[in-house]
Amino acid sequence: MPRKVLIIGGVAGGASAAARLRRLDESAEIILFERGEYISFANCGLPYYLGGVIQERENLLVQTVQGMQERFNIDIRVKSEVTRILRQSKEVEVLAGGQTYRESYDYLLLSPGAAPILPPIPGMQRQGIYTLRNMADVDKIKGFIEEKKPQRAAVIGGGYVGIEMAENLKHAGLAVVVIEAAEQVMGPLDVEMARIVEQELLANGINLILKDAVQSFQGETQIDILLGSGRQERVDLVIMAAGVRPETKLAQEAGLEIGAKGGILVDEYLRTSDQAIYAVGDAIEVKDRLSGQNALIPLAGPANKQGRIAANNICGAKDKYLGSLGTSIIKVFNITAAATGNNEKLLQRAGIPYLKSFTHSGSHAGYYPGAFMLTMKLLFSPTDGKILGAQIVGRQGVDKRIDVLATAIKHGLTVYDLEELELSYAPPYSSAKDPVNMAGFTAANILKGDVKVLHWEDLKGLAREDHLILDVRTKEEYDNGHLAGSVLMPVDSIRQGLAEIPRDKKIIIYCKVGLRGYIAYRILAQRGYKVYNLSGGYEMHLAEQYKYAEGIDLNEQMTKFEHIPSPTATLEGKTVQVDACGLQCPGPIMKVYKEMENLQTGEVLEVLASDPSFPRDAKAWCERTGNTLLSSESTAKGYRVMIKKGNAQASVPAHNQNPLDIPHGKSIIVFSSDLDKAIASFIIANGGAAMGRKVTLFFTFWGLNILRKDVVGRVEKNFIERMFGLMMPRGSKRLGLSKMNMVGMGPRMIRNIMQKKNVASLEELIQQAKDSGVRLVACTMSMDLMGIKAEELIDGIEYGGVASYLAEAEESDVNLFI
């Protein structure tokens, strides 16, 4: 008898479990209940939609109900809230459309997620105060911004959602203040690393209020926020981002065990205290892989993996979920911050001994333009060097380094292993000694006793009469700022100045980031001095004062770090930004064409694209359309092209003095009904249309099948016409390939690849051509010979013969036969 599985909640955990269940068991009855309208949406992308980074709402919908039902044969019931779990009868009670009914199950999987924490603050229910959890929330906030035009916003909470919301509200044009009750933003980071993030927020106009909690919301037309310190902030919009708590109401009422952290308790197989009920995602307590203690880790990555494992086990496997490292990453304006494993607070709470080190390395080789500082904090065991945690902040290359370190922690590697890792190197991407290697070298030196270190907190309360603080930087650096009471002795002159260094005191050495300090340490340690190097150098002191990375061009490691300003900084007049990333040819050029129509002469279009051919296409487009290509550059995020409307002559042959005499039309005869040739025809046509050219596609003989409708009503035909119709493909969706058709498998494969590569389908290309004014002409003579009737063809088709084609050909500088 087929197993019946009910899933409560979609998005990451529930939707991934449902899809995995179907892949494992085609006969299972799977029902997914979602109290909202959407089963799978990019909740991590919601802030970026509000900020306009993600412009299309539909892009947030990862999977639709219809799409998932068709692909996986799953009974999906949206706007259906499960209100009770009846464990004895193995049923759930469902409220939908005002009616209540029951549904039985063999297995039940809970994926209710987590809800925003709403502290009991007076005035919380007033208009203009929102949380952000789902599509309904984002629609409300978007509507409020568009309708009310708020000028100032407050974000309550400095976690991931709070910081992302602050940045994107700033992008939306609002003045923003972040209010955080703790002493820092970004709880997964330790305080000195969080200061770098805070500096970036301040530098981009975000106001920060730390160690101050909201007491009440007051006011009439605006919202007055009264803080514990007595301070008051007046805003038009409030986003509550004080954290999330597991949704456990159903589980509690059903008598399932709840852990001390407030999440649903599950075993290593993700079973609850009821063996027929599994739970995944933000609602459950998981094992911290380092401390072994239970933890709440509301992240999409672990939830997806848990959904897969739970589905495996429902189908009879014995897969274990061994816990989570809490690996996380966030973009904050121009920098990235990431963490994995335990931070100092967690290690102290768990009673785990640790050592720490700081390194500052270039994101890639310093002699290659565009390298930026990566600041890395490593936490490791004082006995065997096992890596316990890592944090990185920088502009580029943070993501790949944190992933390497997360992998290292997962497999129990040590700092000695980091020294030996063979990582890819080329000047644009890294250095011969990757930042991960450098972190390993530094930590291993501490463990082996090659260097003794002190940290910034060790300097507080230090008996200065027993110590000498030695600054081994240059005089210029020292004069620009130094530790109080420190003595300057540049590293290159230490050997000559040994007589001036007292032997009866402990010597504390510091430089900018630690490297010169280490060299000075080795010189003195080998001569019998009691010496310590300040881990992380003066840079960590600057971080505390929100001055991190000032003077980074000081050749610390005999490399040069350069900052390449955005071209927009030197432009005058209006500049419009367009994001064409993810689009394949001719998508970016068509987007340029449409946006340029809305600009006035002299205004500039800044286009970001990921298609490698776009810079060349943009250059050719500008030359042929009379626009000016200002700049074209490759960036860490893709390709940036700046185009000024007008002020450039369209290129014409030198021998032709009158550019108006040049035919610029494009004529294409489409003879083939092969899918690949049809796609090529429409890509060329859309490219021509994007350049403002008149384009005509002339369909003849087998090419007419591209224009046929998939489904058509009864059409009067004679016997021969009906036979032709049966032997030919009906419409674009049934076309075969010219090569590797493989009895229909080839077309399905190429369409699947096009979808994954974000290339428009043939049907989308046809619609784009029609929208761009491309003429689609069907040859009436061929229609008559092949028995194809006008009512069989898609809308928007013109009809003509050879004279129509020749007339267009004479006005064209391109004539193709496909």
Side-chain angles (χ1 to χ4, degrees):
M1 183 176 178
R3 61 173 62 92
K4 183 176 181 180
V5 184
L6 305 186
I7 300 174
I8 301 175
V11 195
S16 65
R20 178 64 174 171
L21 279 167
R22 177 56 73 218
R23 292 196 296 271
L24 295 176
D25 187 350
E26 184 64 22
S27 65
E29 182 180 359
I30 306 169
I31 305 175
L32 191 155
F33 298 98
E34 171 56 53
R35 64 186 173 191
E37 186 177 352
Y38 304 99
I39 58 161
S40 185
F41 59 91
N43 46 5
C44 296
L46 298 180
Y48 299 99
Y49 171 61
L50 290 173
V53 178
I54 298 173
Q55 296 187 356
E56 300 297 331
R57 182 181 184 275
E58 289 70 23
N59 291 344
L60 296 172
L61 304 179
V62 178
Q63 179 63 278
T64 65
V65 172
Q66 181 181 356
M68 194 162 184
Q69 284 177 333
E70 291 177 351
R71 175 161 295 183
F72 295 107
N73 188 26
I74 295 171
D75 183 356
I76 298 175
R77 304 178 187 179
V78 295
K79 299 182 181 179
S80 298
E81 181 177 5
V82 176
T83 55
R84 290 177 64 197
I85 300 172
L86 308 168
R87 291 169 55 193
Q88 289 187 339
S89 61
K90 297 185 81 170
E91 293 178 302
V92 298
E93 198 172 82
V94 185
L95 175 63
Q99 302 294 319
T100 299
Y101 67 92
R102 291 186 178 184
E103 193 73 53
S104 64
Y105 64 83
D106 297 316
Y107 294 97
L108 179 65
L109 188 143
L110 304 178
S111 179
I117 294 174
L118 295 176
I121 301 173
M124 178 77 77
Q125 303 305 318
R126 60 166 298 154
Q127 186 187 28
I129 300 177
Y130 298 95
T131 59
L132 182 63
R133 182 189 185 189
N134 51 37
M135 294 296 293
D137 292 338
V138 82
D139 289 339
K140 290 176 184 176
I141 299 171
K142 187 82 167 178
F144 183 88
I145 293 174
E146 292 177 350
E147 179 184 350
K148 302 295 185 180
K149 303 292 189 297
Q151 300 298 308
R152 184 169 167 79
V155 177
I156 313 301
Y160 284 94
V161 174
I163 298 304
E164 289 173 346
M165 279 301 304
E167 176 179 347
N168 282 283
L169 288 171
K170 184 70 177 178
H171 289 326
L174 283 74
V176 182
V177 58
V178 173
I179 301 172
E180 170 57 58
E183 66 169 331
Q184 64 171 86
V185 301
M186 299 300 302
L189 301 179
D190 288 318
V191 64
E192 69 278 1
M193 302 296 281
R195 291 289 181 257
I196 306 172
V197 175
E198 292 165 2
Q199 177 186 340
E200 182 71 8
L201 292 169
L202 292 168
N204 284 276
I206 303 294
N207 189 17
L208 282 179
I209 300 176
L210 302 176
K211 295 192 292 186
D212 211 349
V214 177
Q215 299 299 306
S216 66
F217 296 108
Q218 302 174 3
E220 296 180 4
T221 58
Q222 292 177 295
I223 303 171
D224 292 326
I225 306 173
L226 183 63
L227 302 177
S229 63
R231 181 173 176 172
Q232 185 170 304
E233 292 288 323
R234 176 166 292 179
V235 299
D236 307 301
L237 170 67
V238 172
I239 302 296
M240 296 299 301
V244 296
R245 61 165 54 97
E247 284 266 29
T248 59
K249 183 173 182 291
L250 266 178
Q252 284 182 298
E253 292 176 350
L256 299 178
E257 288 188 35
I258 304 298
K261 299 287 185 181
I264 302 170
L265 277 183
V266 294
D267 63 13
E268 57 193 353
Y269 302 107
L270 298 171
R271 291 177 305 204
T272 67
S273 52
D274 185 323
Q275 299 297 290
I277 302 178
Y278 290 74
V280 300
D282 298 352
I284 70 172
E285 293 188 10
V286 300
K287 292 290 184 185
D288 182 310
R289 291 194 69 142
L290 290 162
S291 69
Q293 298 179 355
N294 279 11
L296 297 173
I297 301 180
L299 295 171
N304 271 283
K305 296 175 183 68
Q306 292 158 15
R308 179 184 177 89
I309 290 173
N312 291 349
N313 293 335
I314 288 172
C315 291
K318 287 292 182 181
D319 291 352
K320 296 180 180 180
Y321 184 73
L322 300 178
S324 177
L325 294 174
T327 305
S328 57
I329 192 166
I330 185 173
K331 171 191 171 295
V332 185
F333 290 99
N334 295 314
I335 69 169
T336 299
T340 187
N342 285 183
N343 57 26
E344 288 196 65
K345 296 184 285 288
L346 291 175
L347 291 171
Q348 291 167 5
R349 197 176 304 154
I352 299 174
Y354 65 92
L355 295 174
K356 60 185 176 182
S357 66
F358 295 91
T359 51
H360 307 267
S361 306
S363 55
H364 60 250
Y367 57 81
Y368 188 90
F372 295 99
M373 174 79 86
L374 280 175
T375 293
M376 186 180 301
K377 180 177 184 178
L378 203 62
L379 300 162
F380 51 96
S381 168
T383 55
D384 58 8
K386 185 177 179 180
I387 307 164
L388 303 174
Q391 300 160 42
I392 311 176
V393 180
R395 287 178 63 98
Q396 297 176 358
V398 173
D399 50 349
K400 73 172 184 176
R401 272 70 184 219
I402 203 69
D403 287 343
V404 169
L405 291 166
T407 304
I409 296 174
K410 194 266 183 188
H411 290 285
L413 301 188
T414 69
V415 297
Y416 303 116
D417 293 311
L418 297 187
E419 291 183 286
E420 299 174 2
L421 285 181
E422 185 175 334
L423 303 172
S424 61
Y425 160 58
Y429 305 107
S430 184
S431 299
K433 296 177 182 178
D434 188 86
V436 172
N437 298 132
M438 293 299 296
F441 296 145
T442 302
N445 283 340
I446 294 172
L447 271 181
K448 290 184 292 187
D450 289 344
V451 62
K452 293 180 180 179
V453 297
L454 290 178
H455 299 285
W456 281 102
E457 59 268 28
D458 299 327
L459 296 181
K460 297 175 182 178
L462 198 68
R464 292 299 178 97
E465 63 272 12
D466 299 329
H467 297 80
L468 172 68
I469 301 178
L470 204 60
D471 188 322
V472 299
R473 301 174 300 160
T474 65
K475 184 178 186 302
E476 291 77 13
E477 292 173 272
Y478 184 86
D479 291 342
N480 196 43
H482 57 266
L483 291 179
S486 62
V487 174
L488 174 66
M489 186 174 289
V491 63
D492 295 334
S493 62
I494 280 186
R495 292 182 181 88
Q496 291 75 39
L498 291 175
E500 302 175 27
I501 303 175
R503 289 187 173 272
D504 60 343
K505 290 188 177 184
K506 294 178 180 179
I507 311 301
I508 299 172
I509 295 175
Y510 77 92
C511 64
K512 179 97 175 137
V513 300
L515 178 62
R516 285 174 289 175
Y518 172 63
I519 295 170
Y521 174 96
R522 295 303 302 159
I523 294 172
L524 295 180
Q526 293 180 74
R527 286 170 167 80
Y529 287 88
K530 296 178 181 178
V531 59
Y532 300 86
N533 190 23
L534 196 59
S535 181
Y538 191 64
E539 194 64 43
M540 300 315 298
H541 174 66
L542 293 178
E544 283 192 325
Q545 301 180 28
Y546 299 114
K547 296 180 180 179
Y548 166 81
E550 288 189 3
I552 193 59
D553 57 343
L554 290 174
N555 237 4
E556 172 68 23
Q557 300 187 40
M558 290 174 280
T559 58
K560 182 181 179 183
F561 295 88
E562 299 180 11
H563 173 65
I564 301 176
S566 168
T568 54
T570 60
L571 295 175
E572 298 179 358
K574 179 181 176 182
T575 298
V576 176
Q577 287 189 332
V578 171
D579 186 0
C581 291
L583 298 179
Q584 298 290 342
C585 178
I589 281 294
M590 295 194 69
K591 199 158 191 175
V592 168
Y593 171 68
K594 291 179 181 178
E595 292 292 338
M596 194 63 74
E597 288 185 325
N598 300 323
L599 298 186
Q600 301 296 319
T601 299
E603 293 179 340
V604 175
L605 196 65
E606 179 181 5
V607 188
L608 300 176
S610 54
D611 178 13
S613 67
F614 175 64
R616 293 188 297 275
D617 289 348
K619 181 175 184 293
W621 185 84
C622 288
E623 290 173 349
R624 300 294 289 176
T625 58
N627 295 295
T628 304
L629 181 66
L630 296 178
S631 65
S632 176
E633 67 171 342
S634 175
T635 73
K637 296 182 179 180
Y639 304 89
R640 179 189 286 116
V641 172
M642 309 291 291
I643 301 174
K644 185 177 182 180
K645 184 165 184 176
N647 295 349
Q649 293 294 323
S651 66
V652 296
H655 65 271
N656 195 315
Q657 300 303 310
N658 186 0
L660 295 178
D661 293 340
I662 300 175
H664 290 308
K666 319 295 176 190
S667 297
I668 304 173
I669 298 178
V670 185
F671 178 87
S672 172
S673 62
D674 293 327
L675 174 62
D676 43 347
K677 295 175 182 176
I679 291 170
S681 301
F682 278 93
I683 286 178
I684 296 170
N686 286 335
M691 296 180 72
R693 304 303 186 237
K694 182 180 179 182
V695 181
T696 301
L697 285 172
F698 196 88
F699 296 85
T700 183
F701 284 95
W702 311 112
L704 289 166
N705 291 294
I706 300 169
L707 303 181
R708 295 179 74 192
K709 296 176 181 176
D710 296 325
V711 180
V712 69
R714 181 175 177 81
V715 179
E716 291 294 331
K717 291 189 176 185
N718 59 36
F719 176 77
I720 297 297
E721 290 172 341
R722 286 197 299 273
M723 288 298 295
F724 263 111
L726 291 172
M727 290 187 291
M728 293 187 299
R730 182 179 291 281
S732 61
K733 294 182 180 179
R734 300 187 185 182
L735 302 182
L737 291 177
S738 61
K739 304 288 185 183
M740 298 171 56
N741 191 56
M742 296 184 293
V743 197
M745 284 293 294
R748 287 193 290 272
M749 290 172 61
I750 197 68
R751 284 180 178 272
N752 186 47
I753 292 171
M754 290 172 67
Q755 184 179 17
K756 289 182 178 179
K757 298 291 186 180
N758 208 17
V759 177
S761 68
L762 175 56
E763 292 71 38
E764 291 171 329
L765 289 169
I766 292 173
Q767 187 58 50
Q768 289 174 7
K770 292 165 68 175
D771 294 343
S772 300
V774 174
R775 296 181 64 204
L776 307 182
V777 181
C779 174
T780 53
M781 179 271 294
S782 298
M783 290 174 62
D784 186 54
L785 288 177
M786 304 185 73
I788 296 177
K789 306 298 183 181
E791 51 266 48
E792 292 183 77
L793 302 185
I794 60 177
D795 296 333
I797 302 300
E798 299 177 37
Y799 301 90
V802 65
S804 300
Y805 165 70
L806 291 174
E808 292 296 329
E810 290 179 353
E811 298 297 319
S812 301
D813 58 354
V814 171
N815 287 283
L816 298 177
F817 187 97
I818 298 178

